[in-house]
Amino acid sequence: MVLKLYSVRTAGGGCGLVAMTLVEKQLPFELVVVDMARGDHKTPAYLARHPFGQVPMLDDDGLVVYESRAICRYLAEKYADQGTPLVPTGIPAKALFEQAASIEVATFYPLVFKIAMEAVYNPQRSLPVDEAGLAQAKTALAAKLDVYEVILGTQKYLGGNVCLRHDVGSFPDHNRGVRQVEEIRQGEFLPAGGWWNDISSRPSWVQLQAEGIQSVR
Ligand SMILES: N[C@@H](CCC(=O)N[C@@H](CS)C(=O)NCC(=O)O)C(=O)O
């Protein structure tokens, strides 16, 4: 049975992260559009499968997986032999992979999420903006990106020299926050070595931005 992705059409956040992984792995999938304005993600039927009532959610022939990073990891491991390799093999390479994955989820993403919330989503919804929190998050993220620059000074990607899930897959989540910081740093923060340009010019990302998420048959 074809993979079913429950998602919004826009390729940002966790939905974009999973869609990018599906495209990188050249996997056919059916998009089941979740209309969040209508509350599709809070119906009893949806909550029975995803108790937090969020997108994305994957259904692989009855196996339901939620949490975008977990979905990406599942796809990367199940389809290790096709498309872009996104998880390494061997214990030392896996240790560095886990290290980079933890940096992303524990250190980087919370700041990006705060920036995206205060600079993009709250204004869009006419909600109050926490200006002090926004400024603090931008400064903190800029400092983290200085550390990325150090790491990327000796290797091409965060987990080593091969482009892995947390480079490719976490890109949609990072994009808005990083662009915000770029504004205050006049583009000077981007780590040397072309990492940002490399991941932001990947055909999977360019295609998803142009077309949104669509079923692939
Ligand atoms: N940690 C989750 C976050 C998922 C998430 O926050 N999804 C948002 C849309 S981007 C959502 O469904 N929000 C509705 C809600 O939380 O009620 C993941 O990575 O999948």
Side-chain angles (χ1 to χ4, degrees):
M1 231 175 72
V2 72
L3 294 163
K4 279 189 189 172
L5 174 64
Y6 291 76
S7 165
V8 292
R9 283 189 196 278
T10 314
C15 294
L17 196 151
V18 172
M20 204 168 166
T21 300
L22 286 161
V23 175
E24 290 281 346
K25 297 305 285 177
Q26 298 169 5
L27 290 166
F29 70 97
E30 180 189 331
L31 171 69
V32 181
V33 177
V34 176
D35 184 340
M36 296 180 77
R38 196 171 61 188
D40 287 2
H41 56 312
K42 303 294 180 190
T43 63
Y46 194 94
L47 288 168
R49 303 210 296 162
H50 187 335
F52 292 103
Q54 295 183 320
V55 289
M57 175 173 80
L58 182 81
D59 180 344
D60 182 5
D61 202 11
L63 174 69
V64 173
V65 187
Y66 53 83
E67 280 299 323
S68 53
R69 292 168 183 82
I71 299 171
C72 294
R73 178 77 70 94
Y74 169 71
L75 294 171
E77 296 207 24
K78 180 167 179 185
Y79 300 98
D81 295 335
Q82 74 179 73
T84 310
L86 295 174
V87 284
T89 52
I91 291 174
K94 278 198 168 161
L96 299 182
F97 173 90
E98 293 297 348
Q99 175 181 278
S102 291
I103 293 168
E104 187 262 315
V105 77
T107 307
F108 194 70
Y109 180 71
L111 296 170
V112 166
F113 183 74
K114 176 72 179 167
I115 293 169
M117 217 51 205
E118 302 304 337
V120 183
Y121 301 124
N122 283 347
Q124 264 171 9
R125 294 173 196 151
S126 307
L127 293 172
V129 172
D130 169 12
E131 296 289 355
L134 173 60
Q136 213 172 28
K138 282 183 175 181
T139 306
L141 182 59
K144 298 295 176 199
L145 288 168
D146 286 343
V147 181
Y148 270 40
E149 174 140 4
V150 174
I151 297 170
L152 293 165
T154 56
Q155 60 196 50
K156 195 161 177 227
Y157 296 102
L158 295 175
N161 281 315
V162 180
C163 188
L164 296 169
R165 187 206 66 76
H166 34 72
D167 289 289
V168 168
S170 57
F171 180 71
D173 276 335
H174 292 169
N175 193 24
R176 279 202 165 128
V178 169
R179 291 283 168 225
Q180 285 289 324
V181 179
E182 191 176 28
E183 270 174 34
I184 58 166
R185 297 277 295 263
Q186 286 96 39
E188 284 171 12
F189 80 92
L190 284 176
W195 170 73
W196 187 259
N197 287 341
D198 184 324
I199 54 176
S200 60
S201 61
R202 290 186 81 82
S204 57
W205 172 251
V206 174
Q207 178 203 318
L208 284 163
Q209 292 319 293
E211 298 169 9
I213 304 175
Q214 294 182 14
S215 296
V216 175
R217 307 200 188 269

